[in-house]
Amino acid sequence: MKRIAIVEDEVAIRENYKEVLQQQGYSVQAYANRPMAMQAFSTRLPDLAIIDIGLGDEIDGGFTLCQSLRAMSSNLPIIFLTARDSDFDTVCGLRLGADDYLSKDVSFPHLIARLAALFRRSDLQGTESDEESLLERDQLVIDVNRMQVYWSKTAIELTVTEFWMVHALAKRPGHVRNRQELMQEAKIFVDDSTITSHVKRIRKKFQALDANFDCIDTVYGMGYRWDPQG
Amino acid sequence: MSTLFKHFSGLKERVLTFHPPIGLRSKVGILSLFLLCLPWLGYQYVWEMEKYLRYGQEKTLEGTTQALATALHERPNLFDIQASFLTQVEQGRDLYAYQLAGPIQLDGKLNDWALYRHRSINYGHGHQIFKHDVQAPLNISFNHMVGKYGGYLYAFFEVTDPSVIYRGSNSLKIDVNDHLAIATLAPDGKFKRYIIATQKDGWVSSYELPADPQKRMPVTPELKIQGKWLKTETGYNVEIRLPLEMVGSKLGFAIYDVNDKKTRRLDAIVGTSAIDDVENLGTVLVPSPEIESIIKGMSHNSSRIWVVDKHGRVLAKSGDIRTSNSVWTRTVQDKPDDSFWARFKRDYLHRFYYKILTTPPKDFIDSLQDSTVLEGSHIKNALSGKQGSTWRLTPDNKAVILAAASPIWIDDKVMGVVIAEETTHGIRTLRNKALEKLFNVILTIMSMGTLSLFFFASSISSRIRKLRDEAEEAIDSQGRIRKTILGSEVRDEIGDLSRSFSSIVSRLGQYTHYLENMSSRLSHELRTPVAVVRSSLEHLSLQHLDPDTRKYVDRAEEGVSRLNMILNNMSEATRLEESLSNAENDIFPLSKVISGCMQGYQLTYPEKQFVVSITDEPLTMTGVPEYIAQLMDKLIANAMEFSNEGTPITVTLEMKHRQAELVVSNFGPILPDKMAEQIFESMVSVRQQKAQDKPHLGLGLYIARLITDFHEGTIKARNLTVENKPSSQELALSGVEIIVSLPYIKDK
């Protein structure tokens, strides 16, 4: 049974999520603030952590907690589930090593799907890749089962959202995917500018590896498409 | 009284509220005009100084005359041979021997006298000494004057006599014909009489008469008296000379007229004075060589010096007033200087100064140039025993002459006067020099003062202008803080003002920031309770509910999702503002973005008709294409919402006035009056309340404006009315167009 830890200072939300997740068959531990959570984590790490950013008196308590957790384990999946939806917070959270950043208006099914995806990835890490689930586009290789993306055989660390976006684009090269489609594929419901910033981050991650990377093409006003290079 | 008071207070108010539109710099300029008082003060000062200089000159000149008078005091021998002891002199009777410029040629033609002719006196009826027949008219008269040159006394007589009777060729008598008689009191005190008679024109013969005035015989020839007799058309001329040592202080001339050749009776005697007695003789004044030699020592002096007797007749004179260099002038002679400053002064400043100042003229009319009799209050004063001085103007008003006079005393009696004269040229030169220096100093002070005042005012006004510009730029027309004011470091009142402005703006900025963040914070704060409601509702819906309960849960879920959408909208603007502030600019073709967008809309809204007209120019611009697309989204969304059923939405992009102009127009309800500006404000909507299926916060056009502002463009809305349409259709075809102007980079 997977163990999920929820760190959330709002009792009603905490309990709601806890119950939903328990119904889904997870073992859930809920903590109201960072010290309590840290105390529990120091004895045993959960399989996945859902963290709010503002924790009681600590405005950025979630960020601190995320850092501490990442220090303890490099492959523990961490999801931010927060009311804060500014670009800055999103970027900050993802940079600190979180795997996903969800806004509190996310629906239960959505949340559960994301959790499942994360678990699936962490489960698959280390196991042999299944040939059939591989998607190959020139230098790009997407291992859907392990939710891994390789560029010129080098793995690129993408968040789950980013992974699904790359997947959506690369699935049908040359086809323009508008923002709405991308949101559906990535299973997120945020506004257009968030999509834009996700695309920017994806490009940066690829460009960090290959400065000449320009496979993600902006079709002004419509969306993005995977442009097979050459 | 009350009306009067009202009137007065109204006037006062008006006076107080009158503010002429003059800048600080002009005001300081006007105030600095008071610097112009400086030259006036300086001029007054120099004027005062000149007064003292004149006083000084007066005293110096009086001193000079006094010194000379001292040399002449108590020396009666200089005076007693003259007629100085007379109480009064009579014109014509008392003769004055003019100093002649050169010797007279004794030829009877009188040409040599031309220079002096104006001084000759006409002797006629008034000078008649004897008349044989009192009834008969006097037909004789003569012009006469005496002069002195080189030890001789010269005289001429221009006699008008209708019948000239010469001496008989063999007559012994010399007095029964026309002749000239001379009587003098010789220096040795003897009374001498001479007769000049001639037998024909030419050299005259003169004879001395016996001392006894009654006797006319015997006569002895006197050779020292020389002269010529020349007959003229009106009578005859006689020109004579006699050595000065023969002439004493008394002298008389008389013309004896004989008209009948037969009877040779004496008809009339006309003369300067009666010559038969010493007592009756007139005097003659010969300018004294002794005095002249005394005052000659003073000729090196700067002034012209006269010595006159107590009748004002000139005894001696030295110096020339015109060429004399006054002691004042000499002291201020500059050394020749050829430095730049000196040349500049000479060439520019002095030329300017001497438009105002007057240079003392070298040439002026001197009325006293060769006077024989001097008059004036100073002489009168001196004659009464006091020193005196006067100022007088030359007749041509060009020069002012100072004259000082001192009396010469002989035994408690004033026997003469020493007069010294000087022009005030020296003082004027001195004054001019002082004024030049003063003007130089004043010009320097004034220009420095005006310049420094000007710079001071400029710096103040520029600082105030800077502050004004900053204050104007700080807040835009929507009242939002655009820029903060940096408080000035200068510790004065303007610095204080700038600092307080800075703190006002920063406080206002904080407040505006608080207001601006209101919606995002509100949405953030609301999100958690919404999440609570939402997650709870989701829980509920997961349960097996009866249809009635399910209905309410569905409604509640719908309400929550609308609330959620409102929250998203609310934070969208704030998020956009945040991301705009750290957006990375790209260079992209605007036309391509717009046409791409339009293709998307045509796909997304297949039921809507779009009329698209996009220029072929790429219209390259700097910015973020995603934002431009977002702007298009908002504009199209707005146009879609307001457009009537079945009407197209027109989108045009063209170059206009060096800007890319994007126009999105739709047919539908028009904007209410005065709302054209406000629809771009946050949370302003002019939408009619009907047909609200989606929450609407009026943020769409606000976001459009944020993006336009970010790209340094302008956005405005305008009502659109299509003319030349039947009135029934007009309503249907009226609408709104939104015009976005964006700057683009010009292609080469």
Side-chain angles (χ1 to χ4, degrees):
Chain A
M1 196 195 263
K2 299 282 181 198
R3 294 177 67 252
I4 297 177
I6 297 181
V7 189
E8 164 68 65
D9 55 344
E10 191 73 33
V11 185
I13 297 177
R14 192 170 69 223
E15 291 305 317
N16 276 343
Y17 282 117
K18 189 178 171 185
E19 280 165 30
V20 165
L21 294 176
Q22 279 173 340
Q23 281 166 13
Q24 293 297 314
Y26 295 109
S27 156
V28 183
Q29 286 82 44
Y31 309 99
N33 53 36
R34 194 178 63 89
M36 278 169 68
M38 277 310 290
Q39 207 179 2
F41 294 155
S42 58
T43 48
R44 191 182 171 192
L45 279 176
D47 295 320
L48 187 144
I50 299 173
I51 309 171
D52 189 10
I53 294 175
L55 290 173
D57 299 334
E58 296 176 274
I59 307 167
D60 290 331
F63 288 149
T64 324
L65 189 58
C66 175
Q67 260 178 315
S68 315
L69 278 177
R70 209 26 101 221
M72 289 187 226
S73 161
S74 60
N75 54 6
L76 170 71
I78 301 172
I79 298 178
F80 276 113
L81 181 69
T82 176
R84 283 165 45 171
D85 60 349
S86 72
D87 255 12
F88 177 77
D89 286 330
T90 315
V91 171
C92 196
L94 294 175
R95 252 191 216 150
L96 284 172
D99 292 278
D100 215 343
Y101 191 99
L102 296 172
S103 161
K104 270 182 184 169
D105 44 15
V106 70
S107 66
F108 282 154
H110 186 177
L111 175 67
I112 289 158
R114 299 294 268 265
L115 288 174
L118 280 174
F119 276 126
R120 196 150 38 118
R121 190 172 69 161
S122 61
D123 288 348
L124 286 170
Q125 256 167 357
T127 61
E128 276 299 307
S129 67
D130 190 338
E131 288 294 321
E132 287 161 42
S133 63
L134 283 184
L135 189 68
E136 285 187 53
R137 302 274 177 265
D138 301 329
Q139 290 153 285
L140 180 77
V141 176
I142 300 176
D143 183 344
V144 182
N145 285 336
R146 294 170 61 190
M147 290 186 78
Q148 269 294 1
V149 171
Y150 301 90
W151 182 259
S152 303
K153 297 194 176 99
T154 312
I156 291 176
E157 289 296 324
L158 292 178
T159 66
V160 181
T161 312
E162 289 160 1
F163 172 81
W164 285 120
M165 283 175 72
V166 173
H167 184 257
L169 287 169
K171 208 160 67 182
R172 296 164 74 189
H175 282 238
V176 176
R177 316 306 299 268
N178 68 26
R179 292 184 170 82
Q180 215 61 42
E181 288 172 318
L182 283 175
M183 276 194 248
Q184 276 166 17
E185 294 266 1
K187 300 178 181 67
I188 54 166
F189 298 96
V190 289
D191 60 89
D192 295 2
S193 63
T194 312
I195 295 283
T196 311
S197 56
H198 275 301
V199 171
K200 272 189 190 162
R201 262 196 304 278
I202 293 168
R203 277 198 190 124
K204 266 185 200 148
K205 282 182 178 175
F206 276 98
Q207 275 161 0
L209 210 62
D210 177 3
N212 297 321
F213 174 83
D214 63 345
C215 287
I216 301 177
D217 210 9
T218 307
V219 182
Y220 292 115
M222 291 178 74
Y224 303 93
R225 71 173 161 220
W226 188 264
D227 182 24
Q229 267 175 324
Chain B
M1 168 236 137
S2 62
T3 51
L4 186 75
F5 177 73
K6 259 185 230 158
H7 178 75
F8 175 71
S9 66
L11 190 78
K12 204 168 114 187
E13 222 163 76
R14 236 175 302 148
V15 168
L16 284 178
T17 53
F18 175 68
H19 298 301
I22 305 176
L24 271 183
R25 250 186 292 188
S26 327
K27 276 179 188 160
V28 171
I30 291 167
L31 285 180
S32 67
L33 287 183
F34 285 107
L35 284 175
L36 290 179
C37 290
L38 283 177
W40 180 78
L41 277 175
Y43 189 78
Q44 290 298 313
Y45 174 73
V46 171
W47 191 250
E48 202 68 14
M49 185 196 79
E50 190 191 353
K51 232 161 76 182
Y52 284 106
L53 282 180
R54 281 177 187 232
Y55 185 73
Q57 193 186 17
E58 212 173 297
K59 288 297 147 203
T60 316
L61 210 60
E62 274 177 21
T64 309
T65 58
Q66 211 169 8
L68 195 57
T70 309
L72 298 172
H73 283 331
E74 306 299 341
R75 293 174 71 172
N77 57 325
L78 292 181
F79 291 95
D80 67 353
I81 56 162
Q82 314 296 348
S84 307
F85 294 99
L86 287 180
T87 45
Q88 60 172 23
V89 291
E90 192 185 303
Q91 174 85 343
R93 189 181 117 94
D94 296 303
L95 304 173
Y96 183 86
Y98 294 96
Q99 179 71 44
L100 300 176
I104 299 291
Q105 200 183 355
L106 296 174
D107 53 5
K109 281 181 184 157
L110 310 186
N111 296 338
D112 304 327
W113 296 91
L115 274 175
Y116 321 105
R117 280 299 285 269
H118 59 282
R119 304 190 191 275
S120 64
I121 298 168
N122 184 268
Y123 296 83
H125 205 270
H127 299 84
Q128 173 182 307
I129 296 164
F130 168 80
K131 191 86 183 0
H132 177 76
D133 185 357
V134 183
Q135 299 304 317
L138 183 72
N139 51 11
I140 180 171
S141 67
F142 66 95
N143 285 327
H144 158 72
M145 73 170 283
V146 287
K148 173 194 142 190
Y149 182 81
Y152 287 96
L153 187 75
Y154 290 85
F156 80 85
F157 303 86
E158 187 182 29
V159 185
T160 310
D161 186 359
S163 56
V164 183
I165 307 297
Y166 292 99
R167 185 180 157 200
S169 52
N170 43 12
S171 166
L172 278 177
K173 280 198 155 189
I174 55 168
D175 56 345
V176 289
N177 40 39
D178 289 344
H179 66 269
L180 166 68
I182 303 167
T184 181
L185 187 69
D188 55 5
K190 285 181 182 155
F191 181 60
K192 302 253 186 189
R193 294 184 299 147
Y194 305 96
I195 277 180
I196 291 173
T198 186
Q199 293 173 337
K200 58 178 194 303
D201 286 354
W203 284 102
V204 294
S205 330
S206 50
Y207 307 94
E208 187 182 350
L209 293 181
D212 184 356
Q214 303 301 323
K215 290 184 178 162
R216 297 216 164 275
M217 295 286 264
V219 292
T220 47
E222 175 55 67
L223 294 175
K224 283 182 198 160
I225 300 174
Q226 299 160 331
K228 244 188 182 166
W229 183 296
L230 189 71
K231 189 160 182 338
T232 61
E233 286 176 12
T234 51
Y236 55 92
N237 291 344
V238 182
E239 208 171 26
I240 59 164
R241 76 164 186 192
L242 59 164
L244 272 178
E245 55 265 28
M246 281 176 66
V247 186
S249 64
K250 290 198 160 194
L251 185 65
F253 293 103
I255 297 288
Y256 285 69
D257 183 34
V258 173
N259 284 329
D260 196 335
K261 224 178 174 175
K262 300 276 169 47
T263 60
R264 290 192 177 253
R265 174 175 53 100
L266 183 65
D267 271 350
I269 307 172
V270 177
T272 61
S273 58
I275 55 164
D276 50 349
D277 193 356
V278 183
E279 299 304 316
N280 293 341
L281 271 180
T283 60
V284 64
L285 182 74
V286 179
S288 154
E290 290 91 342
I291 295 176
E292 211 152 79
S293 69
I294 288 171
I295 68 167
K296 200 165 183 186
M298 303 294 282
S299 70
H300 304 295
N301 199 305
S302 61
S303 26
R304 176 164 71 180
I305 291 170
W306 308 81
V307 179
V308 298
D309 69 0
K310 67 179 184 179
H311 307 294
R313 296 186 297 181
V314 176
L315 298 178
K317 174 189 152 192
S318 93
D320 186 350
I321 201 164
R322 264 188 278 210
T323 56
S324 73
N325 263 343
S326 153
V327 62
W328 305 97
T329 329
R330 258 176 280 142
T331 53
V332 293
Q333 287 301 324
D334 282 334
K335 284 182 227 90
D337 184 359
D338 211 40
S339 67
F340 168 74
W341 173 237
R343 262 183 291 135
F344 175 72
K345 265 201 308 200
R346 200 171 51 232
D347 294 347
Y348 298 100
L349 292 181
H350 288 183
R351 202 173 292 174
F352 168 66
Y353 294 158
Y354 283 101
K355 286 201 193 308
I356 309 168
L357 305 177
T358 47
T359 330
K362 285 271 179 290
D363 195 28
F364 55 89
I365 295 175
D366 178 18
S367 57
L368 296 183
Q369 181 58 33
D370 39 20
S371 304
T372 54
V373 178
L374 297 184
E375 278 172 342
S377 61
H378 55 300
I379 297 173
K380 236 178 248 167
N381 256 346
L383 284 174
S384 67
K386 286 174 276 180
Q387 279 193 353
S389 53
T390 56
W391 298 86
R392 71 166 192 276
L393 211 59
T394 55
D396 54 0
N397 283 348
K398 275 185 181 166
V400 176
I401 292 169
L402 169 66
S406 279
I408 301 169
W409 295 94
I410 292 171
D411 294 338
D412 299 339
K413 274 167 112 187
V414 177
M415 287 306 293
V417 176
V418 178
I419 299 153
E421 283 179 327
E422 258 179 17
T423 56
T424 57
H425 286 180
I427 286 174
R428 274 168 81 180
T429 314
L430 208 60
R431 185 194 69 181
N432 286 351
K433 289 271 176 202
L435 282 176
E436 274 170 30
K437 283 214 171 103
L438 182 81
F439 286 166
N440 288 346
V441 169
I442 281 172
L443 268 182
T444 318
I445 288 177
M446 268 174 63
S447 45
M448 275 165 61
T450 312
L451 267 180
S452 56
L453 274 176
F454 179 81
F455 282 121
F456 179 63
S458 296
S459 89
I460 282 186
S461 73
S462 76
R463 284 173 62 198
I464 291 178
R465 248 180 300 137
K466 191 174 150 243
L467 188 57
R468 179 200 63 193
D469 293 346
E470 274 184 338
E472 271 175 10
E473 275 172 22
I475 296 175
D476 68 7
S477 58
Q478 271 84 35
R480 302 185 325 154
I481 307 293
R482 249 190 316 196
K483 247 192 211 172
T484 51
I485 294 179
L486 287 177
S488 159
E489 301 282 319
V490 185
R491 302 186 55 150
D492 62 3
E493 286 82 350
I494 298 174
D496 283 345
L497 187 64
S498 136
R499 281 190 291 277
S500 60
F501 258 125
S502 158
S503 80
I504 285 172
V505 168
S506 77
R507 268 178 264 160
L508 198 61
Q510 283 164 13
Y511 182 65
T512 319
H513 185 70
Y514 163 77
L515 284 182
E516 281 173 347
N517 286 357
M518 198 70 169
S519 79
S520 90
R521 286 198 299 165
L522 204 60
S523 78
H524 176 237
E525 287 304 317
L526 285 175
R527 194 152 276 177
T528 310
V530 166
V532 173
V533 174
R534 187 190 171 104
S535 55
S536 303
L537 280 173
E538 278 186 30
H539 260 300
L540 253 187
S541 64
L542 289 176
Q543 318 287 315
H544 292 285
L545 303 167
D546 57 279
D548 274 357
T549 321
R550 163 71 61 192
K551 186 174 74 188
Y552 295 118
V553 170
D554 286 348
R555 281 183 198 164
E557 274 193 330
E558 194 201 316
V560 168
S561 89
R562 250 164 82 177
L563 200 53
N564 207 35
M565 208 175 276
I566 291 174
L567 294 180
N568 273 342
N569 277 344
M570 273 168 78
S571 54
E572 187 187 0
T574 326
R575 224 170 329 137
L576 179 70
E577 276 178 73
E578 264 173 31
S579 51
L580 282 177
S581 65
N582 45 29
E584 286 168 28
N585 280 341
D586 284 337
I587 291 172
F588 64 95
L590 180 63
S591 305
K592 228 175 131 187
V593 174
I594 303 291
S595 63
C597 286
M598 289 321 295
Q599 282 168 32
Y601 301 134
Q602 267 159 353
L603 287 173
T604 319
Y605 310 103
E607 75 287 350
K608 195 76 195 172
Q609 188 196 347
F610 292 99
V611 179
V612 185
S613 146
I614 292 170
T615 175
D616 291 336
E617 295 284 327
L619 296 178
T620 314
M621 64 175 286
T622 313
V624 183
E626 284 82 13
Y627 292 149
I628 296 291
Q630 199 176 349
L631 162 75
M632 276 306 287
D633 286 352
K634 298 299 172 193
L635 293 182
I636 294 294
N638 182 70
M640 296 276 289
E641 280 169 21
F642 286 92
S643 87
N644 289 340
E645 198 82 12
T647 55
I649 288 173
T650 314
V651 178
T652 55
L653 177 70
E654 57 187 1
M655 280 190 293
K656 214 170 196 179
H657 311 301
R658 296 178 188 175
Q659 296 252 305
E661 194 181 87
L662 173 68
V663 181
V664 176
S665 53
N666 67 285
F667 297 109
I670 58 168
L671 290 169
D673 285 346
K674 293 171 188 167
M675 285 298 278
E677 277 289 318
Q678 287 182 33
I679 59 167
F680 298 108
E681 299 289 310
S682 169
M683 308 223 183
V684 170
S685 176
V686 293
R687 167 191 292 255
Q688 284 156 352
Q689 282 302 307
K690 58 162 188 155
Q692 275 225 14
D693 53 345
K694 275 198 274 176
H696 187 85
L697 285 173
L699 282 167
L701 291 181
Y702 172 63
I703 287 169
R705 200 200 74 200
L706 286 181
I707 295 170
T708 317
D709 287 351
F710 171 74
H711 289 96
E712 290 166 1
T714 57
I715 186 166
K716 60 187 177 203
R718 189 160 68 190
N719 279 328
L720 191 75
T721 45
V722 179
E723 288 172 29
N724 304 326
K725 293 276 172 191
S727 57
S728 59
Q729 285 190 354
E730 201 167 293
L731 209 116
L733 286 170
S734 63
V736 175
E737 63 179 1
I738 290 175
I739 302 142
V740 182
S741 299
L742 294 168
Y744 66 90
I745 305 167
K746 245 180 254 154
D747 298 315
K748 52 262 156 197

